[in-house]
Amino acid sequence: MSTTQTGKIEIIKAASTKINEVDFDNLSFGAVFTDHLFECDFKNGQWQNPVIKPYAPILMDPSSKVFHYGQAIFEGMKAYKDDNNDVWLFRPDENHKRFNNSAVRMAMPEVPESIFMDGLNELLKLDKDWIQRGNGASMYIRPFMIATGAGVVANPSDEYKFMILLSPAKSYYSGEVKVIIAEHYSRAANGGIGAAKAAGNYAAQFYPTNLANKDGFQQVIWTDDATHTKLEEAGTMNVFFRINDTLLTAPTSERILDGITRKSLIEMAKKEGLNVDVRPVIVTELVEAAKNGSLKEIFGAGTAAVISVIKGFSYQDEYYEMAPIENSYASLLKEKLTSLQNKLSEDTFGWTVKVQ
């Protein structure tokens, strides 16, 4: 869909700040938001004048198509503040590209780079004081777009709202993670929207994840929809397996999200001299590796946690737990990536972008 941009960003500042009410040492992930948000509407075939305004509820028609036909997409990003109080983004071009890929798949208009990046930069500058310094501290960024056109006819909306929210975050720690390998439910199917960050993808995971929770597991490792023999993602994260000294992860596809953390870890692992193999990983291969002791590690990778270590997995009512390991690949790669993101080490990849 061809789109155009009109006008410049209008900035309406909040009359007062909420920052003094926030306990930054005890933040619940994604629960606290900054003073302002970014908003831009798509109407009459083009993007309207963007605005940054005080964070507040939005008023929508009950027949807005997002409520009835689920046209909704989002991204997850982070910004970091270094010791000089400069703010940095991590690979924002990849988020913008993936956002528009999701938009195309959901029959929504693409958001021009000038709106996406300029809006994000101005919003971060305005709410810069909310970004804390230190390894583990960050600003979680949630760009999203919803269909706002009125009417319940089953066709794509003709109006949309693009917004960006900011939420201060601390280190994401979920404790020990045990997972169950899916034998019936699927996250996505060939020809579907698994590779898009569409809201419905996540809603569809809640029920089987709730079932896993009742059985004492925190997440599900999803398998392919056709045979349930190929390991694909862990919860809402891409997943890695270390068998002996080889790091394995599934290739991206129509069913698997092209994770930015995933692709960054693959590049970093190769630079560290680790053996990385991007190929389909079969359930029986994992079970056999767990039985013979060659399975050393499993971990998920995503924006929120960066890396989440998986302690053990269940398959066909058998539980397999991995022994603690020294010098784990998960610890090495998490330290390398978070140091780069926080500007504590040199960015030899050119992934960090200064907000200015």
Side-chain angles (χ1 to χ4, degrees):
M1 185 181 294
S2 178
T3 62
T4 59
Q5 178 193 358
T6 60
K8 296 182 178 180
I9 301 174
E10 178 185 7
I11 298 177
I12 304 171
K13 292 186 178 181
S16 59
T17 181
K18 302 172 293 185
I19 195 169
N20 296 323
E21 303 169 13
V22 177
D23 181 0
F24 285 94
D25 293 324
N26 295 286
L27 290 169
S28 296
F29 184 80
V32 174
F33 296 92
T34 65
D35 293 322
H36 301 89
L37 56 78
F38 175 85
E39 180 180 88
C40 190
D41 290 316
F42 182 88
K43 295 181 179 180
N44 302 318
Q46 67 178 11
W47 289 99
Q48 306 299 304
N49 294 336
V51 60
I52 292 174
K53 62 184 185 180
Y55 187 99
I58 56 177
L59 182 65
M60 292 178 62
D61 193 298
S63 71
S64 294
K65 289 184 183 289
V66 65
F67 300 135
H68 303 273
Y69 302 112
Q71 278 186 292
I73 61 172
F74 68 94
E75 270 298 321
M77 312 169 61
K78 281 184 177 178
Y80 307 85
K81 183 180 284 185
D82 65 17
D83 290 340
N84 297 318
N85 281 330
D86 291 323
V87 177
W88 298 82
L89 291 163
F90 180 72
R91 308 190 76 173
D93 56 322
E94 291 288 343
N95 289 102
H96 176 246
K97 180 172 69 174
R98 190 172 64 181
F99 189 87
N100 279 341
N101 288 341
S102 297
V104 169
R105 181 61 183 85
M106 298 298 289
M108 304 170 84
E110 296 180 62
V111 176
E113 182 179 8
S114 55
I115 290 179
F116 190 101
M117 294 307 305
D118 290 353
L120 177 54
N121 273 270
E122 291 300 321
L123 183 60
L124 285 169
K125 286 194 290 185
L126 187 60
D127 284 344
K128 180 179 179 178
D129 290 345
W130 286 75
I131 310 174
Q132 304 297 292
R133 290 196 303 268
N135 199 358
S138 64
M139 178 68 77
Y140 183 76
I141 302 164
R142 174 52 62 90
F144 69 99
M145 178 163 54
I146 56 176
T148 53
V152 294
V153 176
N155 56 19
S157 177
D158 57 359
E159 296 184 358
Y160 298 87
K161 185 179 292 292
F162 171 64
M163 304 182 76
I164 304 175
L165 312 180
L166 302 180
S167 179
K170 293 290 286 183
S171 292
Y172 187 97
Y173 177 71
S174 55
E176 292 183 343
V177 177
K178 298 179 180 180
V179 300
I180 188 167
I181 294 177
E183 298 178 56
H184 173 71
Y185 294 102
S186 299
R187 195 194 79 89
N190 284 333
I193 59 172
K197 281 189 77 70
N201 282 345
Y202 297 79
Q205 295 183 48
F206 294 160
Y207 176 68
T209 301
N210 284 345
L211 294 179
N213 294 161
K214 290 178 182 178
D215 288 333
F217 299 94
Q218 287 72 46
Q219 286 293 349
V220 177
I221 290 188
W222 305 105
T223 49
D224 68 290
D225 63 299
T227 67
H228 293 292
T229 60
K230 299 175 183 177
L231 298 158
E232 301 205 322
E233 293 191 346
T236 59
M237 301 179 289
N238 296 113
V239 64
F240 288 82
F241 310 92
R242 178 185 173 186
I243 297 179
N244 290 319
D245 289 331
T246 298
L247 194 60
L248 303 171
T249 192
T252 55
S253 67
E254 290 180 301
R255 303 185 307 273
I256 299 177
L257 187 70
D258 186 12
I260 294 164
T261 303
R262 170 192 175 275
K263 66 176 65 178
S264 302
L265 291 176
I266 290 172
E267 288 192 50
M268 297 193 91
K270 290 179 177 178
K271 187 172 182 180
E272 291 298 313
L274 305 183
N275 185 27
V276 181
D277 196 358
V278 179
R279 63 165 176 82
V281 183
I282 309 302
V283 176
T284 53
E285 176 185 9
L286 187 73
V287 171
E288 181 59 30
K291 288 180 177 179
N292 64 32
S294 60
L295 177 63
K296 307 299 183 184
E297 299 179 72
I298 307 175
F299 57 87
T303 299
V306 182
I307 285 178
S308 182
V309 174
I310 294 170
K311 181 180 180 181
F313 69 92
S314 176
Y315 179 65
Q316 294 184 342
D317 297 324
E318 291 285 338
Y319 179 69
Y320 304 89
E321 185 165 313
M322 281 150 310
I325 184 171
E326 294 183 2
N327 303 316
S328 72
Y329 289 178
S331 296
L332 170 67
L333 293 173
K334 184 170 186 177
E335 190 279 327
K336 292 287 183 182
L337 185 54
T338 55
S339 291
L340 183 153
Q341 291 171 329
N342 285 277
K343 305 302 289 183
L344 300 174
S345 62
E346 182 183 1
D347 177 11
T348 58
F349 297 94
W351 289 339
T352 51
V353 179
K354 189 175 181 180
V355 174
Q356 49 191 339

